[in-house]
Each structure stands twice: as structure tokens, then as C-alpha cells.
Amino acid sequence: MLSVGSASGSSCMTVLLQVRDLTVTYRSRNRGTLTAVAGVSLDIHEATTLALIGESGSGKSSVARAICGLTMVESGAIKIDECDLPREIDPASAAGQHGIQIVFQDASSSLDPRWPIWKSVSEPRRARSRSSSAEHRRAAVSLLNRVGLPASFADRRPHQLSGGQRQRVTIARALAADPRIVILDEAVSALDVSVRNEILALLDELKRERRLTYLFISHDMGAVAQIAGDVAVLYLGKVVEAGRAETVIRHPLHPYTRALIAAVPSIHPERRRCATQAIGEPDDPANPPSGCRFHRRCPYVIDRCRSDEPARREYDFRDIACHRAEDIKKLTANA
Ligand SMILES: Nc1ncnc2c1ncn2[C@@H]1O[C@H](COP(=O)(O)OP(=O)(O)OP(=O)(O)O)[C@@H](O)[C@H]1O
Ligand code: SF4
Ligand SMILES: [Mg+2]
């Protein structure tokens, strides 16, 4: 496997978090056993942003929640500082101790509606330090200032804030834990474009200032193109393409990535005309197709795709799982 982040010669970068063959399975009465994440491997390099993209239900949040210890892992490893998080007695606490924080789309879920903002922001710090309440408040105000909110916000309640302001508060709260890796699970998806751009700019500043590492999960390819250094594309719980963002987004090769990118005219207006769209609705992860999971929707399908699962391999400066990568490269060379 090509280490995502090393494709453009950055192989000397330190891998901070390593995910290997991660499998996450859910069991429910109506859908039976569902493998949401089916053997995902990723390397996340220090002080970089890896974007995880894919349609709804492709398993992005399940990967994120497994890394944070919020979902049971069926098999595989999630390594940070020589520690394999799923093997710890309390994976969620271990993830926090190793500096992993998560910010969700819905800021309200991490802010107690009854608490003043400063108290929510200081909660991770209060859990670790016995400072006085006044000191915790001072530290929270300083973090609020850092994310662009004045001190007067400290005593407000979450419902008195706009969506963008609440998301700034959850970022301040994540910073209070002094993180090394911040997982942003659709963290900017509910915001309108101008607020989204402000938050993306803030995230970029914080990353450089504190050498943060991001796992950025989003449906929003515009935001991904803006923030990500590396990209991994998930389809039905498997990585189908991964590499440097400029390679995967500017020159997508896997038919699924091509369809995802083609749906965003702002990224390549020219590619929208020529890319062949994927056909039909996504398959059900509870009942994935044989062979290549994408075969029922792929415009390049051949018989082999229906029976043989393509292995993830290095080709054309990226990782790709497609039997026909070479043919597709030739067929689309002038597209
Ligand atoms: N707790 C759960 N119990 C049962 N099935 C689940 C659970 N959580 C997720 N799933 C299923 O696992 C699959 C992957 O879900 P996941 O939320 O990881 O996808 P996602 O890529 O984050 O989607 P979205 O873009 O909609 O957030 C989906 O089919 C989903 O219905
Ligand atoms: S392996 Fe076959 S079905 Fe799958 S993406 Fe490649 S060409 Fe399409
Ligand atoms: Mg999700």
C-alpha cells in the first residue's frame, strides 16, 4: 500500500496514526449483519489533512468513530505512539489520552444546552487539571478569542449562538484538550458558504500554529479541495482510491471517484462534460455485490469485475482498487 501522503515524495513525513485492515460490523434486527468498514488501511501523517470522502453510508463516520473508540472494532489495528487503540481496555479514553478529538456536524450534541459556553469549552481541561474555576474560565475565554469569539460569548447559552458560532465553540472545546489529531466529521457541512470558508480558514491557521493533524470527513468536495493534502475515497466500506489531493481530485482515475468529482462543476467545469457518471443508486452495505463492489454502477465493467475483487495497488502516483485502471487511464487520456 502506498502510504497516503507519500505519493508526492513526502515519504519522510512521520505517520502519526496508522489504520490497518479496519473492519467495523453492526448487527441489527432489520438489516442483519452489516459490514460498514471492510478492511480499511490509512496512514495519517503529522501536520497534514487527510480527507475521507464517499457517498452517504460509505462508512466514513464508522471509521472516525472507531478511531475515537466510540464504535466497537471487529478486527484490525489503529496505532498511535505504538499503542493499538482497539486493544486498550477503554479505547475512547485511550484515544483522548493520545490526543485524538472529534468535532461533529451537529455542534449541539457536544454542548450542554444548560451550561454557559465557557463551561462547555473548559470541560476537557477541567477533566485534566485542578485549577480554580476562575482560571478555567480565563483559559476558556482565551480559546474563544482564538476561534474569533469575544469574551462576551462566555456566559451565553448554545441556543443564543448561530450555527457558525456554535461550531467555533466546539473547535475551541476540542482545542482545550490540547489535541494532536482532530477528526472533523462533516464539521462544516451545515454552514452556509461564507461561514464555511471562514471556519476552513480558521482550521488552516490553527493547523499551522499548533502543528495539528486533521482527518476531514465531508460530502463537500469544494471544502475538500480547499483543505486536504491527501484524499482517500471510500465506497461501501472499502478504499477505492487514495493519494495526494492534487492527484486524486485533479486527475481522478477510479470510475467512482470520477463520478464523485464530475458531480461538482466548480472543481473542473471541463471534466463535467466528459466524465461518465456512475449509474443508479448505491448498493446496500448489508448485501454488497460480489467481485468489485462498484460493478453494478460502473460504466467500464467487464466480466472479471463481477467475480474478482480488485486488490488495492499502486498505480499512477496513487493507490487504486480497479482491474481496469490502465485501460481507463488510456481511454480518458484526452477527456
Ligand atoms: N449504529 C449503527 N447500527 C447499525 N448500522 C449502522 C450504525 N451506524 C452506521 N450504520 C450503517 O453503517 C453504514 C455506514 O454508516 P456511516 O454512518 O459510517 O456512513 P457515512 O459514510 O458516515 O454516511 P453519511 O455520509 O450519511 O454520514 C450505513 O449503512 C449505516 O446505515
Ligand atoms: S474493477 Fe471493474 S467494476 Fe470495479 S471500478 Fe474497475 S472497471 Fe469498474
Ligand atoms: Mg457520517
Side-chain angles (χ1 to χ4, degrees), residues 34-152:
L34 180 155
T35 303
V37 180
V40 162
S41 295
L42 301 167
D43 284 344
I44 309 182
H45 293 85
E46 197 170 19
T48 66
T49 299
L50 169 64
L52 199 52
I53 62 174
E55 285 164 307
S56 184
S58 55
K60 306 178 297 294
S61 296
S62 298
V63 170
R65 293 173 64 83
I67 293 173
C68 296
L70 301 173
T71 287
M72 274 269 289
V73 165
E74 183 84 15
S75 60
I78 302 172
K79 289 195 176 161
I80 182 165
D81 307 327
E82 306 294 317
C83 164
D84 187 5
L85 295 173
R87 288 179 186 271
E88 293 292 310
I89 293 168
D90 181 350
S93 308
Q97 279 156 17
H98 287 274
I100 301 174
Q101 287 292 311
I102 187 161
V103 174
F104 295 106
Q105 174 173 354
D106 178 14
S108 336
S109 64
S110 44
L111 303 178
D112 191 317
R114 298 159 305 174
W115 282 2
I117 292 302
W118 78 264
K119 204 169 165 191
S120 290
V121 170
S122 69
E123 197 184 19
R125 194 172 178 270
R126 280 186 283 129
R128 292 183 310 154
S129 130
R130 289 169 179 249
S131 312
S132 67
S133 182
E135 279 167 44
H136 284 307
R137 192 179 192 287
R138 243 192 320 274
V141 167
S142 157
L143 284 171
L144 287 174
N145 288 163
R146 182 60 201 91
V147 298
L149 296 173
S152 59

Side-chain angles (χ1 to χ4, degrees), residues 277-310:
Q277 292 278 355
I279 304 149
E281 292 299 306
D283 285 283
D284 180 2
N287 186 20
S290 58
C292 171
R293 291 181 170 213
F294 189 59
H295 82 247
R296 290 194 194 128
R297 303 173 71 196
C298 181
Y300 300 98
V301 62
I302 52 173
D303 281 350
R304 183 182 173 201
C305 305
R306 297 188 180 92
S307 53
D308 297 357
E309 185 173 346

